[in-house]
Short mmCIF file of all heavy atoms in Angstrom, two decimals:
data_model
loop_
_atom_site.label_atom_id
_atom_site.label_comp_id
_atom_site.label_asym_id
_atom_site.label_seq_id
_atom_site.Cartn_x
_atom_site.Cartn_y
_atom_site.Cartn_z
N VAL A 1 4.40 -3.24 9.06
CA VAL A 1 5.36 -2.27 9.60
C VAL A 1 5.42 -1.03 8.72
O VAL A 1 5.45 0.10 9.21
CB VAL A 1 6.76 -2.90 9.72
CG1 VAL A 1 7.80 -1.86 10.13
CG2 VAL A 1 6.74 -4.06 10.70
N ALA A 2 5.44 -1.23 7.40
CA ALA A 2 5.53 -0.09 6.47
C ALA A 2 4.86 -0.47 5.15
O ALA A 2 4.77 -1.66 4.80
CB ALA A 2 6.98 0.30 6.23
N PHE A 3 4.43 0.57 4.42
CA PHE A 3 3.69 0.36 3.19
C PHE A 3 3.89 1.58 2.30
O PHE A 3 3.67 2.70 2.73
CB PHE A 3 2.20 0.19 3.52
CG PHE A 3 1.28 0.01 2.34
CD1 PHE A 3 1.38 -1.12 1.54
CD2 PHE A 3 0.31 0.95 2.04
CE1 PHE A 3 0.51 -1.31 0.46
CE2 PHE A 3 -0.55 0.78 0.98
CZ PHE A 3 -0.44 -0.36 0.18
N ARG A 4 4.36 1.36 1.07
CA ARG A 4 4.56 2.50 0.16
C ARG A 4 4.34 2.07 -1.28
O ARG A 4 4.59 0.93 -1.65
CB ARG A 4 5.97 3.10 0.32
CG ARG A 4 7.10 2.15 -0.05
CD ARG A 4 8.45 2.82 0.04
NE ARG A 4 9.54 1.90 -0.22
CZ ARG A 4 9.97 1.56 -1.45
NH1 ARG A 4 9.38 2.08 -2.52
NH2 ARG A 4 10.97 0.72 -1.60
N GLY A 5 3.89 3.00 -2.11
CA GLY A 5 3.71 2.73 -3.52
C GLY A 5 5.04 2.74 -4.27
O GLY A 5 6.00 3.39 -3.85
N ILE A 6 5.07 2.03 -5.38
CA ILE A 6 6.23 1.99 -6.27
C ILE A 6 5.89 2.79 -7.52
O ILE A 6 4.91 2.50 -8.20
CB ILE A 6 6.60 0.53 -6.64
CG1 ILE A 6 6.90 -0.27 -5.38
CG2 ILE A 6 7.78 0.50 -7.59
CD1 ILE A 6 7.13 -1.75 -5.67
N ALA A 7 6.71 3.79 -7.83
CA ALA A 7 6.39 4.70 -8.92
C ALA A 7 6.69 4.12 -10.29
O ALA A 7 6.18 4.60 -11.29
CB ALA A 7 7.16 6.01 -8.75
N GLU A 8 7.52 3.07 -10.38
CA GLU A 8 7.91 2.54 -11.67
C GLU A 8 6.88 1.52 -12.16
O GLU A 8 6.15 0.92 -11.39
CB GLU A 8 9.30 1.89 -11.59
CG GLU A 8 10.39 2.92 -11.29
CD GLU A 8 11.71 2.27 -10.94
OE1 GLU A 8 11.73 1.08 -10.62
OE2 GLU A 8 12.71 2.99 -10.99
N GLY A 9 6.89 1.30 -13.48
CA GLY A 9 5.95 0.38 -14.09
C GLY A 9 4.80 1.12 -14.74
O GLY A 9 4.57 2.30 -14.45
N VAL A 10 4.07 0.45 -15.62
CA VAL A 10 2.99 1.12 -16.34
C VAL A 10 1.68 0.34 -16.34
O VAL A 10 0.66 0.87 -16.74
CB VAL A 10 3.40 1.40 -17.81
CG1 VAL A 10 4.57 2.35 -17.87
CG2 VAL A 10 3.72 0.11 -18.54
N GLU A 11 1.67 -0.90 -15.91
CA GLU A 11 0.49 -1.74 -16.08
C GLU A 11 -0.36 -1.87 -14.83
O GLU A 11 -1.58 -1.86 -14.90
CB GLU A 11 0.90 -3.14 -16.56
CG GLU A 11 1.50 -3.17 -17.95
CD GLU A 11 0.51 -2.76 -19.03
OE1 GLU A 11 -0.69 -3.07 -18.90
OE2 GLU A 11 0.93 -2.13 -20.01
N ASN A 12 0.27 -2.04 -13.67
CA ASN A 12 -0.45 -2.38 -12.44
C ASN A 12 -0.07 -1.44 -11.32
O ASN A 12 0.88 -0.65 -11.43
CB ASN A 12 -0.13 -3.83 -12.04
CG ASN A 12 -0.51 -4.81 -13.12
OD1 ASN A 12 -1.63 -4.82 -13.60
ND2 ASN A 12 0.44 -5.65 -13.53
N SER A 13 -0.81 -1.51 -10.22
CA SER A 13 -0.46 -0.76 -9.01
C SER A 13 0.38 -1.65 -8.12
O SER A 13 -0.03 -2.76 -7.76
CB SER A 13 -1.73 -0.33 -8.27
OG SER A 13 -2.49 0.56 -9.05
N ASN A 14 1.57 -1.17 -7.75
CA ASN A 14 2.52 -1.97 -6.98
C ASN A 14 2.93 -1.24 -5.71
O ASN A 14 3.11 -0.02 -5.70
CB ASN A 14 3.77 -2.25 -7.82
CG ASN A 14 3.46 -3.13 -9.02
OD1 ASN A 14 3.21 -4.30 -8.88
ND2 ASN A 14 3.48 -2.53 -10.21
N PHE A 15 3.07 -2.02 -4.64
CA PHE A 15 3.43 -1.48 -3.34
C PHE A 15 4.46 -2.39 -2.68
O PHE A 15 4.45 -3.62 -2.90
CB PHE A 15 2.20 -1.41 -2.42
CG PHE A 15 1.03 -0.66 -3.01
CD1 PHE A 15 0.12 -1.31 -3.83
CD2 PHE A 15 0.84 0.68 -2.74
CE1 PHE A 15 -0.96 -0.63 -4.37
CE2 PHE A 15 -0.25 1.36 -3.27
CZ PHE A 15 -1.15 0.71 -4.09
N VAL A 16 5.33 -1.79 -1.88
CA VAL A 16 6.22 -2.57 -1.03
C VAL A 16 5.58 -2.67 0.36
O VAL A 16 5.19 -1.66 0.95
CB VAL A 16 7.61 -1.92 -0.90
CG1 VAL A 16 8.48 -2.69 0.08
CG2 VAL A 16 8.29 -1.86 -2.26
N LEU A 17 5.48 -3.91 0.83
CA LEU A 17 4.99 -4.19 2.18
C LEU A 17 6.16 -4.61 3.05
O LEU A 17 6.99 -5.44 2.62
CB LEU A 17 4.00 -5.35 2.17
CG LEU A 17 2.63 -5.21 1.54
CD1 LEU A 17 1.98 -6.59 1.50
CD2 LEU A 17 1.78 -4.26 2.35
N ARG A 18 6.23 -4.09 4.24
CA ARG A 18 7.18 -4.63 5.23
C ARG A 18 6.37 -5.14 6.41
O ARG A 18 5.55 -4.40 6.97
CB ARG A 18 8.18 -3.58 5.68
CG ARG A 18 9.15 -4.07 6.76
CD ARG A 18 10.33 -3.15 6.92
NE ARG A 18 11.18 -3.22 5.73
CZ ARG A 18 12.27 -2.47 5.55
NH1 ARG A 18 12.63 -1.60 6.47
NH2 ARG A 18 12.98 -2.59 4.45
N THR A 19 6.59 -6.39 6.76
CA THR A 19 5.86 -6.99 7.87
C THR A 19 6.85 -7.50 8.92
O THR A 19 8.04 -7.69 8.64
CB THR A 19 4.98 -8.15 7.40
OG1 THR A 19 5.81 -9.21 6.91
CG2 THR A 19 4.03 -7.69 6.30
N ALA A 20 6.34 -7.72 10.11
CA ALA A 20 7.16 -8.26 11.20
C ALA A 20 6.48 -9.48 11.75
O ALA A 20 5.27 -9.47 12.04
CB ALA A 20 7.35 -7.21 12.30
N HIS A 21 7.24 -10.56 11.92
CA HIS A 21 6.74 -11.81 12.47
C HIS A 21 7.79 -12.35 13.41
O HIS A 21 8.92 -12.64 13.00
CB HIS A 21 6.46 -12.81 11.35
CG HIS A 21 5.85 -14.09 11.81
ND1 HIS A 21 4.59 -14.15 12.36
CD2 HIS A 21 6.34 -15.36 11.81
CE1 HIS A 21 4.31 -15.40 12.66
NE2 HIS A 21 5.36 -16.15 12.35
N ASN A 22 7.45 -12.48 14.70
CA ASN A 22 8.42 -12.93 15.72
C ASN A 22 9.68 -12.08 15.68
O ASN A 22 10.81 -12.59 15.69
CB ASN A 22 8.76 -14.41 15.51
CG ASN A 22 7.59 -15.31 15.76
OD1 ASN A 22 6.69 -15.00 16.54
ND2 ASN A 22 7.56 -16.45 15.06
N GLU A 23 9.49 -10.76 15.59
CA GLU A 23 10.56 -9.75 15.60
C GLU A 23 11.41 -9.75 14.33
O GLU A 23 12.31 -8.92 14.19
CB GLU A 23 11.47 -9.92 16.83
CG GLU A 23 10.73 -9.77 18.15
CD GLU A 23 11.67 -9.82 19.33
OE1 GLU A 23 12.89 -10.03 19.12
OE2 GLU A 23 11.19 -9.63 20.47
N ALA A 24 11.15 -10.63 13.40
CA ALA A 24 11.88 -10.64 12.12
C ALA A 24 11.06 -9.87 11.08
O ALA A 24 9.87 -10.14 10.91
CB ALA A 24 12.14 -12.06 11.66
N GLN A 25 11.70 -8.94 10.39
CA GLN A 25 11.01 -8.15 9.38
C GLN A 25 11.31 -8.69 7.99
O GLN A 25 12.43 -9.11 7.70
CB GLN A 25 11.44 -6.67 9.48
CG GLN A 25 11.01 -6.00 10.77
CD GLN A 25 11.20 -4.50 10.75
OE1 GLN A 25 11.64 -3.92 9.76
NE2 GLN A 25 10.88 -3.85 11.86
N ARG A 26 10.28 -8.66 7.13
CA ARG A 26 10.43 -9.12 5.75
C ARG A 26 9.70 -8.17 4.82
O ARG A 26 8.70 -7.57 5.20
CB ARG A 26 9.85 -10.53 5.57
CG ARG A 26 10.57 -11.63 6.32
CD ARG A 26 9.88 -12.95 6.07
NE ARG A 26 9.95 -13.33 4.65
CZ ARG A 26 9.25 -14.34 4.13
NH1 ARG A 26 8.41 -15.03 4.88
NH2 ARG A 26 9.37 -14.63 2.84
N ASP A 27 10.22 -8.06 3.61
CA ASP A 27 9.59 -7.23 2.59
C ASP A 27 8.87 -8.11 1.57
O ASP A 27 9.35 -9.20 1.23
CB ASP A 27 10.62 -6.36 1.87
CG ASP A 27 11.16 -5.24 2.73
OD1 ASP A 27 10.45 -4.83 3.67
OD2 ASP A 27 12.28 -4.78 2.47
N PHE A 28 7.75 -7.60 1.07
CA PHE A 28 6.97 -8.26 0.03
C PHE A 28 6.51 -7.22 -0.98
O PHE A 28 6.57 -6.02 -0.72
CB PHE A 28 5.73 -8.95 0.62
CG PHE A 28 6.02 -10.02 1.63
CD1 PHE A 28 6.12 -9.70 2.99
CD2 PHE A 28 6.19 -11.34 1.24
CE1 PHE A 28 6.39 -10.69 3.93
CE2 PHE A 28 6.45 -12.33 2.17
CZ PHE A 28 6.55 -12.01 3.52
N ILE A 29 6.04 -7.68 -2.12
CA ILE A 29 5.41 -6.81 -3.11
C ILE A 29 3.92 -7.15 -3.16
O ILE A 29 3.54 -8.31 -3.32
CB ILE A 29 6.02 -7.00 -4.51
CG1 ILE A 29 7.51 -6.65 -4.50
CG2 ILE A 29 5.27 -6.15 -5.54
CD1 ILE A 29 7.80 -5.19 -4.21
#
């Protein structure tokens, strides 16, 4: 559903993922 980078942190590349499954949305890293 959505995907964006996270500006904080210094070691790795991090993103927030939002997905939809059976109309329910969830966020992941």
